[in-house]
Structure formats: structure tokens, C-alpha cells
């Protein structure tokens, strides 16, 4: 029964909040939430709470914000108090050490934004768009100590069209992820979940730094088009002029033209 399974949820941004909201609305027993510490942002450097924290507080769920997880006796004490049967991790932003991964009876389940084993890492949706993939998707998995290398559970594909950018793919994926998480947990509860071991080989999707967001005009038009939309609206791409001025670019148009030489010669 859903209400008998004690769940600790770990997540931070809007993508994770959608999954938490789904669990709460369907009456799963979420006994505690871990999220990243509040961060200063904006011109006034005001401390901002994560979307997951704001939702948890509004729904009277206990919130914990440890700076670190590894070698943290306080975190273990919290888990001893919460007594989770399952840990659910959705875009938390921290690596779980072994003592936390395997703490619950059922271990730890992750909602990952790619069709594993492709795009393991912190930015799978962005890199799928940048690389011109026609589709991506969600994979749920039992977590292990590797980087997104645990046994796969369920998958669902999501189409990427030329009209998509990171924001639109993100919004589709967060809904798919929440629904797939529910299906995964229900199958864990009734014992019908099947584990599929991942191959060792897989592609990586490393975190994107601001230094990586400059448009490279040595790339072709399609590559630039994919690059811009893969990083739009956040963090955005930029161009730099010869006098070192920078301009943010959030959208470009791309059109393939047949017989370009003939078109140019005809004026």
C-alpha cells in the first residue's frame, strides 16, 4: 500500500518538485525531504529557497538541507529517525555515498533525464538537444555508487522537434518523469519491477559551465541552431565582438536551402 511505504525524497529544482507534487497528490507517505541549502541570488543576493523546499513546507513535510552527505553523522541520525523504506532522488544535485544509497530496505531510486546508458551525468537534456538527437526520454533506475550506472527499471521516450528548446523539453520531461516514478514505485511495492543491468559503455552529459556557452562560428548552421536551443533560456549562449562586447543569444532561426549556388547566381 502506498501509505505504508515510507519515502524520503531528495531533489532541488522545478523538475524535482513536479515528481514530489505527484507523490503527495497520490497520497504516498513522504516522511521527509532533502534539498540543497538556500542560495543567494539576484542583485540583492537574497537567499532563495529551492522549489522543492517551498513545496514541502507548504505541505507540512519535514525539510533537511545538509551542506554535505558524505561522512555526516547528522544525516544518518536523520535517516534513523525517518526510517525510510525507499529513497527517491530527482535532480538533487549531490552524490549519495554508499551509507545513504543502501540505507532503506528497497534502496534508492533515481529519475534520470535520458535514455540510459546514453547521456549519463548532470545535463542530459541539454546535450541531447545540442547533439541533434531526435528523441530523449526518462529512465528510472536503482542507484549504485557509479554516475548513473545503476540497474535500469522503466523507460519512456520523449520526441525532440526543431521547435523545442531546453525549456520545452524540460517541461515535457518533468511530467513524464513524475508519472514514470509513480509507476516504478508501484511496481516496487507489488514486486513486479524488473531490473536491467546497464552496459559499461555509455555517453556522458557533463555539467555545462558559462565558459562553454560561447557560439563557435566554425560550426555549421545546424550545429549552431542546436547549440543555441539546447541552452535556451538558461544559461543562454553568447557571441563576442572584436571589441569584446558580449551579446546574449536565446533563439536563432535555421532553414535548409537547396541549390544555394543557383539561388545566389540568380540574384
Amino acid at each position: 500500500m502506498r501509505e505504508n511505504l515510507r519515502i524520503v525524497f531528495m531533489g532541488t529544482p522545478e523538475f524535482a518538485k513536479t515528481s514530489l507534487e505527484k507523490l503527495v497528490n497520490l497520497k504516498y507517505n513522504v516522511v521527509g525531504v532533502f534539498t540543497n541549502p538556500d542560495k543567494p541570488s539576484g542583485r540583492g543576493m537574497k537567499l532563495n529557497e529551492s522549489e522543492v523546499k517551498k513545496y514541502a513546507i507548504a505541505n507540512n513535510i519535514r525539510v533537511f538541507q545538509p551542506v554535505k552527505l558524505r561522512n555526516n553523522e547528522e544525516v544518518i541520525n536523520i535517516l534513523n529517525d525517518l526510517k525510510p523504506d525507499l529513497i527517491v532522488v530527482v535532480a538533487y544535485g549531490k552524490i549519495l555515498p554508499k551509507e545513504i544509497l543502501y540505507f532503506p530496505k528497497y534502496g534508492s531510486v533515481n529519475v534520470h533525464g535520458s535514455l540510459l546508458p546514453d547521456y549519463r551525468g548532470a545535463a542530459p537534456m541539454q546535450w541531447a538537444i545540442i547533439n541533434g538527437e531526435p528523441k530523449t526520454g526518462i529512465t528510472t533506475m536503482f542507484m549504485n555508487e557509479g554516475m548513473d550506472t545503476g540497474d535500469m527499471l522503466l523507460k519512456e521516450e520523449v520526441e525532440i522537434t526543431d521547435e523545442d528548446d531546453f525549456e520545452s523539453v524540460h517541461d515535457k520531461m518533468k511530467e513524464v518523469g513524475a508519472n514514470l516514478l509513480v509507476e516504478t514505485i508501484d511496481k516496487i511495492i507489488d514486486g513486479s519491477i524488473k531490473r536491467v543491468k546497464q552496459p559499461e559503455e555509455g555517453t556522458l552529459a557533463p555539467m555545462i559551465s558559462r565558459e562553454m556557452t560561447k557560439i563557435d562560428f566554425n560550426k555549421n548552421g545546424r550545429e549552431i541552431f542546436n547549440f543555441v536551443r539546447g541552452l535556451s533560456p538558461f544559461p543562454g549562449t553568447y557571441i563576442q565582438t572584436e571589441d569584446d562586447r558580449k551579446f546574449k543569444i536565446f533563439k536563432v532561426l535555421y532553414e535548409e536551402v537547396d541549390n544555394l549556388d543557383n539561388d545566389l547566381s540568380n540574384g
Side-chain angles (χ1 to χ4, degrees), residues 8 16 20 25 27 45 62 67 99-100 107 118 132 173 181 189 197 210 218 226 230 234 237 242 260:
V8 164
L20 176 60
N25 288 343
K27 309 301 181 186
M45 295 303 285
R62 296 172 68 186
V67 174
E99 61 268 22
I100 295 176
D118 291 331
M173 294 271 278
L181 173 62
I189 292 173
K197 187 175 180 61
R210 292 199 178 270
N218 291 314
N226 291 339
F234 180 83
T237 59
E242 292 183 357
L260 180 59

Side-chain angles (χ1 to χ4, degrees), residues 10 34 66-73 75 92 94-97 99-100:
M10 297 184 176
F34 282 67
V67 174
K68 67 169 189 172
L69 297 180
R70 195 174 301 277
N71 299 321
N72 190 332
E73 185 177 347
V75 170
Y92 180 28
K94 292 188 185 302
I95 297 175
L96 273 60
E99 61 268 22
I100 295 176

Side-chain angles (χ1 to χ4, degrees), residues 42-236:
R43 290 185 178 180
M45 295 303 285
K46 180 181 177 182
L47 283 178
N48 282 333
E49 299 173 334
S50 75
E51 294 300 315
V52 162
K53 178 181 178 179
K54 287 186 280 191
Y55 181 82
I57 290 174
N59 287 273
N60 299 311
I61 303 171
R62 296 172 68 186
V63 174
F64 306 94
Q65 296 177 274
V67 174
K68 67 169 189 172
L69 297 180
R70 195 174 301 277
N71 299 321
N72 190 332
E73 185 177 347
E74 182 182 359
V75 170
I76 299 301
N77 290 336
I78 292 169
L79 293 177
N80 280 322
D81 178 50
L82 296 175
K83 299 179 176 59
D85 299 306
L86 179 71
I87 290 176
V88 170
V89 182
V90 186
Y92 180 28
K94 292 188 185 302
I95 297 175
L96 273 60
K98 182 177 179 179
E99 61 268 22
I100 295 176
L101 280 173
Y102 305 119
F103 186 96
K105 175 171 61 175
Y106 293 110
S108 300
V109 167
N110 176 241
V111 175
H112 184 71
S114 79
L115 299 173
L116 291 172
D118 291 331
Y119 297 106
R120 295 169 176 157
M125 288 179 274
Q126 294 95 323
W127 283 110
I129 301 169
I130 290 170
N131 290 340
E133 301 287 0
K135 65 182 180 181
T136 182
I138 295 289
T139 305
T140 56
M141 65 177 169
F142 277 122
M143 300 174 71
N144 63 16
E145 295 166 69
M147 176 64 74
D148 302 322
T149 56
D151 289 352
M152 299 178 291
L153 303 174
L154 301 178
K155 287 186 181 184
E156 184 169 338
E157 294 181 355
V158 173
E159 183 184 12
I160 302 174
T161 71
D162 276 1
E163 287 69 45
D164 279 317
D165 59 12
F166 169 61
E167 182 175 45
S168 63
V169 170
H170 170 277
D171 289 349
K172 289 188 284 189
M173 294 271 278
K174 70 180 183 182
E175 299 295 338
V176 172
N179 291 330
L180 205 63
L181 173 62
V182 167
E183 185 180 351
T184 299
I185 295 175
D186 285 349
K187 286 181 179 293
I188 290 173
I189 292 173
D190 67 24
S192 65
I193 198 73
K194 290 181 171 57
R195 304 173 71 130
V196 178
K197 187 175 180 61
Q198 289 196 53
E200 290 187 10
E201 299 79 14
T203 57
L204 298 180
M207 185 178 296
I208 294 171
S209 66
R210 292 199 178 270
E211 291 73 28
M212 299 165 63
T213 62
K214 183 179 179 180
I215 296 174
D216 180 1
F217 286 101
N218 291 314
K219 304 285 188 181
N220 64 42
R222 166 58 73 171
E223 290 171 328
I224 293 173
F225 173 68
N226 291 339
F227 182 70
V228 172
R229 65 196 184 100
L231 299 178
S232 179
F234 180 83

Side-chain angles (χ1 to χ4, degrees), residues 27-42:
K27 309 301 181 186
Y28 287 88
N29 186 18
V30 180
V31 296
V33 160
F34 282 67
T35 191
N36 272 342
D38 301 347
K39 288 188 175 181
S41 64

